[in-house]
Amino acid sequence: MFSDLSMGALGLSADLPTAIDLAAKHGFGGVDPDLGYLKQLGSDAAVTEFAAGVGDRGLRWGMAGLPINLTAPAGEFAAALAELPAALSILTAAGIDRVGTWIRPMHDDLSYRRNWVLHVSRLTLVSQLLADAGIRIGLEYIGPKTFWSTERFPFLHSLSEARELIAETGASNIGLILDSYHWYTAGESADDLAGLTDADIVSADINDARDDRERDQQQDLDRRLPGSTGVIDLDGFMSALRAASYTGPVKIEPFMKSLASQPVDEVLADAASRLTSAIGG
Amino acid sequence: MFSDLSMGALGLSADLPTAIDLAAKHGFGGVDPDLGYLKQLGSDAAVTEFAAGVGDRGLRWGMAGLPINLTAPAGEFAAALAELPAALSILTAAGIDRVGTWIRPMHDDLSYRRNWVLHVSRLTLVSQLLADAGIRIGLEYIGPKTFWSTERFPFLHSLSEARELIAETGASNIGLILDSYHWYTAGESADDLAGLTDADIVSADINDARDDRERDQQQDLDRRLPGSTGVIDLDGFMSALRAASYTGPVKIEPFMKSLASQPVDEVLADAASRLTSAIGG
Amino acid sequence: MFSDLSMGALGLSADLPTAIDLAAKHGFGGVDPDLGYLKQLGSDAAVTEFAAGVGDRGLRWGMAGLPINLTAPAGEFAAALAELPAALSILTAAGIDRVGTWIRPMHDDLSYRRNWVLHVSRLTLVSQLLADAGIRIGLEYIGPKTFWSTERFPFLHSLSEARELIAETGASNIGLILDSYHWYTAGESADDLAGLTDADIVSADINDARDDRERDQQQDLDRRLPGSTGVIDLDGFMSALRAASYTGPVKIEPFMKSLASQPVDEVLADAASRLTSAIGG
Amino acid sequence: MFSDLSMGALGLSADLPTAIDLAAKHGFGGVDPDLGYLKQLGSDAAVTEFAAGVGDRGLRWGMAGLPINLTAPAGEFAAALAELPAALSILTAAGIDRVGTWIRPMHDDLSYRRNWVLHVSRLTLVSQLLADAGIRIGLEYIGPKTFWSTERFPFLHSLSEARELIAETGASNIGLILDSYHWYTAGESADDLAGLTDADIVSADINDARDDRERDQQQDLDRRLPGSTGVIDLDGFMSALRAASYTGPVKIEPFMKSLASQPVDEVLADAASRLTSAIGG
């Protein structure tokens, strides 16, 4: 695995060239791509050339966002499907082979099983299109009860459910986005991660939780930097990634607004240090 | 439909003969049977004779409890299955053709889909055994969020999910227990009840909710007498039962401890009056 | 219900205006539309005008073919989805509200459950797009064992399975195409049709079977005109359609090559007569 | 893995002590137990003592038959469940930890999905009871088309479907019975066996097929001794078992009536030789 810089996940904003510079400067192993930026380069050839420059800086690509909304209304989804080949062409030109999305863990109208059919339906189709392009999809389950309990029908919000969904699609290019924060808030332990392999994991996030709240009171958008409070068993999480021989990106996504008011280099130096330390074990 | 007396549902206790006397005295249309009492009568013939006396009083049977725990550990469940024929024999001898249970709306270990498999598995088998005896099973979904959100995996807690489960079993002798309290707390409206028929409903409960709590703060075991607060649209609920040409029992289950300290005749006269009024429309 | 002319289903060819003339001449109640013909009229306005002329002849539209291949490879399916709005626009302009397709009853690679996921996935999406356009989809199950047993994995080939699939999609605009030939070859009886309503049926075909073959030896593409051999219980089939208060098209699809060598007017007069007689009861 | 003697699978009959003598004489590694024989020993202690004698002869237990009919009518199944603990007690006393059954690959009334629910329901319950006793269950899929195509609804008849069923139960003590004859008739190859582990396999059978019939004309009860015709890729099959590090029993089940008219010792010497050779690789 390698440390990965996502400016957005840190609550910072920068265009892709700046993010690449910063990732190189602070010793990250990779950087998350920005499909919008790549698109405006204007041609697949320009994208390929740009990506070569990233490799020349010693950086790998992390994970791009899935360029389609899985739960959009049918008409909107069909229209987005028509746009998908262009996006896949750019991803392919750039050599990006990981995209991901999170699963909304509740719905006000669709029961668990109706929502399941919706997700299986959309994922089955999208994963085949991405498989044809050699791209893997990562799915992130969302753990906090303060989130999944807010509408009439809770949906998938745990590792075991995410694995059930992936199995149901029958797709070999769908895997997990593992986030220590969701793993903790879902009430999971290192045992739940046992048996995973590199093929099961598309991306990983490490974060810690506030130490003045119980697990079921934690908020999805109010986390802490990995290792800072010790609420989450970061060692157990990283040991499981190592046991899986995980080779992909690891990043930080703390949803701490305070970071935006600190000097960027300070934030990134700290983030890189925390990632390197966690990955090193 | 007919008004039905369940002493237990009112938080009162009385043996079955006393309950029958009270039901007759206060003009209820029926009374819930007590399988334990019937069992100690000692023979099917004695049960049949006892039941004839109930009919002579102008009373019909309401619904008995399902005499097996659907979610018991496998060994315990298998042992209970071995005891089931004896219970079915008593029910048959008494002419009781409705039994029911509620569905626990969450689980700490089983994901929604694993819990679904468990329920389908057990219900498929039990419903066939009961069908052989000419008995219908009612399933009650439990609506309050303060209940279904208390463990890691919420489960079935709405009318639409209950109907999905019944459909999955493929059993024609499984129906619903409709309780206005669960219907309200599940966020359902009269529209959700549209299209139901008598064959879909095994039993009905009417209750009201506290008027000093929001819907999502209502507690399963703290309700109000039907029509007393007006929080729940009792008219809409009863209109739907009438539209379904429902022919079964309707009772009250308010979980109000205060009832136990009132004179029994006063409680029952009030309950009978509320039921008669609601049924009359 | 009404008699419906599909030239193609009779093994005859004619452009849509000719088919309309023939339908009117021979007293059919309706005619199957031809999306290709309508498309080349060049504009929605022209389509609407053309359709008005059909109504002026006293004819109703039967069912068009579903303008997308449900089981195409993912890339092809996504591309076809992008073309779907144009087709729906024409159908809407013409006032056509029924389209249909048959379900291939076997697969060499996909197990029953994998094929099920494929069909549910594609149907869920397509049915929503058609619902937005006010169009219903009919699904035809294919009964002959000589067909469904020819690859490694048999798939849906009966009424009960077709109803299971429709239920799984949760779509209210998907219904059945009932063909007496498939009903017979699937080993079904009038009992299997009991309880159907008009909302469950999108189109109906009536055909008879060869009387020199056993049921399991019947071939999908070698049938007989309705009522000609008496192998199939046509009365039972039509009684069921009447019991369902079915209001849609009924046509003949005998797959008899000999019809193409007979005078067209003779074939159509005979077909119209058989349909009128069957519908009349 | 080890060579295993099942007299019944060879079409021969002998009581268990005789089978044990013959297994030892001919150098088999194990012998299939006979639950009926063990039962009449009268006590768990006697069973344990008898089993110790088998071990003293250098033999291991193969697989016993699953002591309950998974597809019996509900009443019969419930009654059989009541008898199951006694059978499990004997199996435990004997140290037998593998039982198995085959899956009937078709049904005249239950659609694939209804039959699936039946099997999942029964297996979920039975596997939990056996897990409590430390016993694994093997499921054998049946491959010949001449068998699965004989009723209205084909059911599970391939490796991939068997694995789907096992996954659906969520049980870790259910595995496969792999038979080279079913693997061949189901149209499978060595690729289909890739990735299996010892935990996935409960028992294995090796047989060959007649060389005067096409694959789809092969009959379930008319096979050949392994390696005798070369129709089946025995090397590919055994290589896959070795790749899985399979540790369980391997036996022969040719359904050749001619064996019963040969001298028993001749039949067993030949069977032992074929098994030893196949296992040796």
Side-chain angles (χ1 to χ4, degrees), chain C residues 75-133:
Chain C
E76 190 181 315
F77 179 76
L81 273 180
E83 307 293 322
L84 196 55
L88 298 185
S89 179
I90 294 171
L91 293 171
T92 301
I96 298 164
D97 59 2
R98 296 170 196 253
V99 299
T101 190
W102 55 285
I103 304 294
R104 194 166 186 275
M106 70 279 187
H107 202 285
D108 231 3
D109 295 318
L110 295 180
S111 72
Y112 194 103
R113 290 174 70 83
R114 299 302 331 149
N115 207 357
W116 185 268
V117 168
L118 177 71
H119 279 80
V120 170
S121 295
R122 302 287 176 86
L123 274 171
T124 297
L125 183 54
V126 169
S127 66
Q128 288 170 339
L129 298 172
L130 269 69
D132 292 345

Side-chain angles (χ1 to χ4, degrees), chain D residues 142-162:
Chain D
I142 305 295
K145 177 179 291 191
T146 56
F147 197 23
W148 61 249
S149 66
T150 55
E151 296 185 2
R152 289 173 66 214
F153 298 106
F155 188 53
L156 183 163
H157 57 282
S158 69
L159 177 58
S160 60
E161 293 166 291

Side-chain angles (χ1 to χ4, degrees), chain C residues 199-280:
Chain C
D200 296 317
I201 311 172
V202 170
S203 188
D205 294 357
I206 53 174
N207 300 290
D208 212 334
R210 285 180 54 155
D211 55 9
D212 56 351
R213 285 181 179 149
E214 294 298 310
R215 192 188 75 193
D216 285 352
Q217 273 64 53
Q218 299 285 354
Q219 304 289 320
D220 188 39
L221 303 182
D222 187 6
R223 312 175 184 176
R224 289 296 174 265
L225 291 167
S228 62
T229 60
V231 169
I232 297 180
D233 174 18
L234 185 59
D235 286 348
F237 186 80
M238 295 306 297
S239 295
L241 294 187
R242 279 188 288 273
S245 302
Y246 174 56
T247 61
V250 184
K251 65 188 177 212
I252 295 177
E253 191 175 27
F255 290 105
M256 290 172 66
K257 289 180 184 167
S258 60
L259 297 188
S261 57
Q262 293 178 36
V264 167
D265 281 320
E266 193 174 289
V267 171
L268 298 191
D270 181 55
S273 166
R274 290 179 187 272
L275 283 167
T276 301
S277 167
I279 290 171

Side-chain angles (χ1 to χ4, degrees), chain B:
Chain B
M1 55 192 135
F2 60 91
S3 63
D4 178 56
L5 175 61
S6 164
M7 293 294 281
L10 291 167
L12 308 176
S13 60
D15 62 11
L16 185 55
T18 305
I20 290 165
D21 287 342
L22 290 167
K25 176 179 179 184
H26 289 284
F28 285 85
V31 63
D32 269 5
D34 172 355
L35 185 56
Y37 181 87
L38 297 175
K39 191 176 295 183
Q40 57 80 31
L41 290 176
S43 75
D44 285 359
V47 168
T48 300
E49 186 183 336
F50 182 88
V54 174
D56 291 344
R57 303 287 292 271
L59 295 170
R60 301 162 67 175
W61 287 124
M63 181 180 68
L66 176 67
I68 189 167
N69 175 2
L70 289 177
T71 57
E76 190 181 314
F77 180 75
L81 274 180
E83 307 292 323
L84 195 55
L88 298 185
S89 178
I90 293 170
L91 292 171
T92 303
I96 298 163
D97 59 3
R98 296 170 196 253
V99 300
T101 191
W102 56 286
I103 304 293
R104 194 166 187 275
M106 70 279 188
H107 202 284
D108 231 2
D109 295 317
L110 295 180
S111 72
Y112 194 104
R113 290 175 69 83
R114 299 301 333 150
N115 208 357
W116 186 268
V117 168
L118 177 72
H119 279 80
V120 170
S121 295
R122 302 287 177 88
L123 273 170
T124 298
L125 184 55
V126 168
S127 67
Q128 289 170 339
L129 298 172
L130 268 68
D132 292 344
I135 298 172
R136 296 169 69 204
I137 310 178
L139 301 182
E140 184 174 31
Y141 66 92
I142 305 295
K145 176 179 290 192
T146 55
F147 197 22
W148 60 249
S149 65
T150 55
E151 297 185 2
R152 288 173 66 215
F153 299 106
F155 189 53
L156 183 163
H157 57 282
S158 70
L159 178 58
S160 60
E161 293 166 291
R163 297 184 77 176
E164 290 171 9
L165 177 63
I166 292 169
E168 178 95 347
T169 65
S172 59
N173 67 322
I174 307 184
L176 300 159
I177 300 174
L178 293 176
D179 184 322
S180 61
Y181 193 77
H182 297 308
W183 172 72
Y184 158 72
T185 51
E188 294 158 357
S189 72
D191 286 350
D192 293 291
L193 301 169
L196 289 175
T197 69
D198 188 42
D200 295 318
I201 311 171
V202 171
S203 188
D205 294 357
I206 53 174
N207 300 290
D208 212 333
R210 286 180 55 156
D211 55 9
D212 55 352
R213 286 182 179 149
E214 295 299 309
R215 192 187 76 193
D216 285 352
Q217 273 66 53
Q218 300 284 355
Q219 304 288 320
D220 189 41
L221 302 183
D222 187 7
R223 312 175 185 177
R224 290 295 175 266
L225 291 167
S228 62
T229 60
V231 170
I232 296 180
D233 174 18
L234 184 60
D235 286 348
F237 186 80
M238 294 306 297
S239 294
L241 293 187
R242 279 188 289 273
S245 303
Y246 174 55
T247 61
V250 185
K251 64 189 178 212
I252 295 177
E253 191 175 26
F255 290 105
M256 290 172 68
K257 288 180 184 168
S258 59
L259 297 188
S261 57
Q262 294 176 35
V264 169
D265 282 319
E266 194 174 288
V267 171
L268 298 192
D270 181 56
S273 166
R274 290 178 187 271
L275 283 167
T276 300
S277 167
I279 290 171

Side-chain angles (χ1 to χ4, degrees), chain D residues 199-211:
Chain D
D200 296 317
I201 311 171
V202 172
S203 188
D205 294 357
I206 53 174
N207 300 290
D208 212 333
R210 285 179 54 154
D211 55 9

